[in-house]
Amino acid sequence: MSVVTTIVSIILLCGLISLPVVILYGLNKRNTKYRFIVYLVLGLLTTSALMLIFSWWSVASDEMLLSYYGYDFEGLNEMDRYANVNPENVERVKNLEASLSGIGWPLKAVFSYAFYLPYLLIVYLIIHLIRKRKATN
């Protein structure tokens, strides 16, 4: 189960990394007039949706893993919550439980996007410079 959640997380992360390049490639192929504005709007919309999905998935996958390990979400105390957890999985379950506490996934998505946003601009700048260099050669 842990492998499945990791694979989905890697796919979402690869999507976040490659989506700006794919959008810009499509815009360059169509020779769009206002390329930067269209790129920025499409990039903001699609990557913010993907960031929301990725943030939600991080919480949902932890909850799925806790359920898989036998964690009881309705338990009143620690003994009730860990009653069905195998002794070798108790440490892993405690780590997953601790990762669920704190700020919620929507706020994590907003904070993460604040760090991701410059990546959109860097990708545009790098690809724009590469196209300019190819055009001069």
Side-chain angles (χ1 to χ4, degrees):
M1 186 67 143
S2 179
V3 173
V4 173
T5 59
T6 304
I7 289 172
V8 173
S9 296
I10 290 172
I11 289 171
L12 289 171
L13 184 62
C14 289
L16 279 172
I17 292 171
S18 65
L19 195 59
V21 176
V22 170
I23 291 171
L24 196 54
Y25 177 75
L27 290 176
N28 286 337
K29 197 166 189 151
R30 290 186 178 189
N31 205 4
T32 309
K33 186 174 183 180
Y34 299 106
R35 187 175 301 125
F36 179 69
I37 295 172
V38 174
Y39 168 75
L40 204 55
V41 169
L42 282 175
L44 287 173
L45 291 176
T46 56
T47 58
S48 63
L50 199 56
M51 184 67 76
L52 280 173
I53 292 169
F54 187 61
S55 297
W56 168 80
W57 175 251
S58 69
V59 173
S61 65
D62 286 348
E63 290 174 353
M64 285 173 32
L65 286 172
L66 282 172
S67 178
Y68 174 75
Y69 287 129
Y71 181 80
D72 184 13
F73 290 97
E74 302 297 323
L76 297 176
N77 57 23
E78 191 171 303
M79 188 175 240
D80 289 343
R81 289 190 299 261
Y82 296 120
N84 297 328
V85 177
N86 291 335
E88 62 268 5
N89 294 330
V90 170
E91 191 64 35
R92 171 87 169 131
V93 168
K94 284 184 180 181
N95 288 337
L96 287 170
E97 183 185 29
S99 71
L100 289 177
S101 60
I103 62 174
W105 65 265
L107 195 55
K108 285 180 186 178
V110 170
F111 287 154
S112 301
Y113 203 76
F115 290 107
Y116 178 79
L117 187 60
Y119 177 69
L120 283 172
L121 301 173
I122 291 169
V123 166
Y124 183 83
L125 181 66
I126 289 172
I127 292 178
H128 181 71
L129 291 174
I130 290 172
R131 287 188 76 215
K132 283 254 190 202
R133 181 166 285 187
K134 282 184 180 179
T136 58
N137 289 337

